[in-house]
Amino acid sequence: MQKRIVLITGATSGIGEATALLLAENNFKLILCGRRNDRLEALKKKLASTTEVHTLAFDVRDRNAVQQAISSLPAEWKQVDVLVNSAGNAHGLDPIQSGNVDDWDAMIDINVKGLLYVCHEVVPAMAERKSGHIINIGSIAGKEVYPNGNVYSASKFAVDALSRGMRIDLNASGVKVTSINPGMVETEFSLVRFKGDAQRAAQTYKGLEPLTGHDIADIILFTITRPAHVMLADLTVFPTAQASSMHVKRDA
Ligand code: NDP
Ligand code: 8X3
């Protein structure tokens, strides 16, 4: 069977990178995206003996760069069968009254507008072909709010709304839309949220066994290998130690 092509944003780290590693071993061709080109090239080299990889380095905030990168795909890479929208982060963890506007811009521009820019370049061809699968990485923060999560939550509530809206708009075309909403996954996420403060980032996962990027990759693999008539619509995934954003069992 011909290998399906998967375009992964946020492939330089965390959930996106783990997804690239797992899908490479499972008969998919990969278009890997992120800003850090050195990481993309290293991943391409690592996977060279496993599958075909094409890399695209761009910032999802830059609408023209997104358009140019995706339209630059060679003919044999143009049919994207699966789009995994993983690029995104939290920036800061502050009460609304002392929030940093640059952080707010980053979260809205990357998590919401960036996801939309990528979809704008990829989804029309899926709808036209009447086949394809979009996986949006949302968050438990897109289902419930927690103290100081304000704008990050708003950006992920937007992703939740977009996933639901996409599912309705694309219903007639048969394009599948899946929203995967993780709880705590140990990646570079907290390092980015806390602006490189590794000690503070490590506190987030102290006393519990968090999810790994591979755990989410495994769920993505399961999701995109269901039969044509089966669409997993919306999944929330916690580490066993977590029951909600605010309920986490930690060992002393
Ligand atoms: P990481 O920080 O490990 O990965 C984030 C990825 O997003 C990187 O590959 C980064 O690549 C990419 N990215 C960030 N900003 C941009 C940008 N402006 N343009 C292009 N790419 C960008 O975090 P995770 O893997 O954990 O995060 C992946 C997704 O999962 C995010 O949407 C996050 O909100 C969500 N999530 C994470 C959870 C967690 O606990 N970790 C829980 C729930 C959801 P580069 O820097 O090279 O551009
Ligand atoms: C990441 C999970 O709980 O830090 O989306 O918001 S949380």
Side-chain angles (χ1 to χ4, degrees), residues 4 7 15 81-86 115 119 123 126 132-139 143 156 158-171 174-182 216-237:
R4 283 191 284 162
L7 187 151
I15 294 170
D81 299 296
V82 180
L83 166 62
V84 179
N85 281 312
S86 190
L115 179 145
C119 284
V123 177
M126 287 182 171
H133 196 158
I134 303 160
I135 310 279
N136 290 329
I137 306 299
S139 171
K143 301 284 187 184
K156 290 298 183 177
V159 173
D160 188 47
L162 288 170
S163 295
R164 286 191 268 160
M166 285 179 192
R167 207 172 293 121
I168 293 168
D169 294 349
L170 292 165
N171 175 251
V175 173
K176 299 185 193 184
V177 181
T178 301
S179 168
I180 298 180
N181 305 289
I216 305 301
D218 206 22
I219 290 161
I220 292 173
L221 175 63
F222 179 78
T223 302
I224 64 176
T225 51
R226 293 311 85 211
H229 69 288
V230 179
M231 170 172 65
L232 290 165
D234 190 275
L235 297 165
T236 295
V237 191

Side-chain angles (χ1 to χ4, degrees), residues 235-252:
L235 297 165
T236 295
V237 191
F238 285 137
T240 304
Q242 184 173 14
S244 77
S245 288
M246 295 300 293
H247 294 87
V248 179
K249 176 178 171 290
R250 294 180 196 265
D251 300 329

Side-chain angles (χ1 to χ4, degrees), residues 75-242:
E76 65 273 23
W77 286 97
K78 279 208 188 294
Q79 183 180 314
V80 176
D81 299 296
V82 180
L83 166 62
V84 179
N85 281 312
S86 190
N89 276 117
H91 292 259
L93 183 68
D94 303 298
I96 199 73
Q97 60 273 28
S98 56
N100 176 319
V101 178
D102 288 336
D103 286 344
W104 295 355
D105 278 344
M107 291 184 278
I108 302 290
D109 289 348
I110 299 168
N111 302 353
V112 185
K113 291 170 69 182
L115 179 145
L116 282 170
Y117 293 158
V118 173
C119 284
H120 185 263
E121 301 310 315
V122 175
V123 177
M126 287 182 171
E128 208 170 301
R129 281 198 319 272
K130 299 196 181 306
S131 82
H133 196 158
I134 303 160
I135 310 279
N136 290 329
I137 306 299
S139 171
I140 185 58
K143 301 284 187 184
E144 54 185 57
V145 291
Y146 56 86
N148 306 328
N150 43 64
V151 178
Y152 178 63
S153 262
S155 75
K156 290 298 183 177
F157 268 72
V159 173
D160 188 47
L162 288 170
S163 295
R164 286 191 268 160
M166 285 179 192
R167 207 172 293 121
I168 293 168
D169 294 349
L170 292 165
N171 175 251
S173 72
V175 173
K176 299 185 193 184
V177 181
T178 301
S179 168
I180 298 180
N181 305 289
M184 299 163 90
V185 190
E186 190 163 15
T187 61
E188 292 179 9
F189 177 85
S190 291
L191 204 57
V192 173
R193 167 169 258 175
F194 299 126
K195 304 180 193 308
D197 183 339
Q199 232 176 345
R200 194 168 172 205
Q203 288 298 318
T204 311
Y205 312 107
K206 201 166 173 214
L208 74 133
E209 185 175 352
L211 296 169
T212 63
H214 179 82
D215 294 324
I216 305 301
D218 206 22
I219 290 161
I220 292 173
L221 175 63
F222 179 78
T223 302
I224 64 176
T225 51
R226 293 311 85 211
H229 69 288
V230 179
M231 170 172 65
L232 290 165
D234 190 275
L235 297 165
T236 295
V237 191
F238 285 137
T240 304
Q242 184 173 14

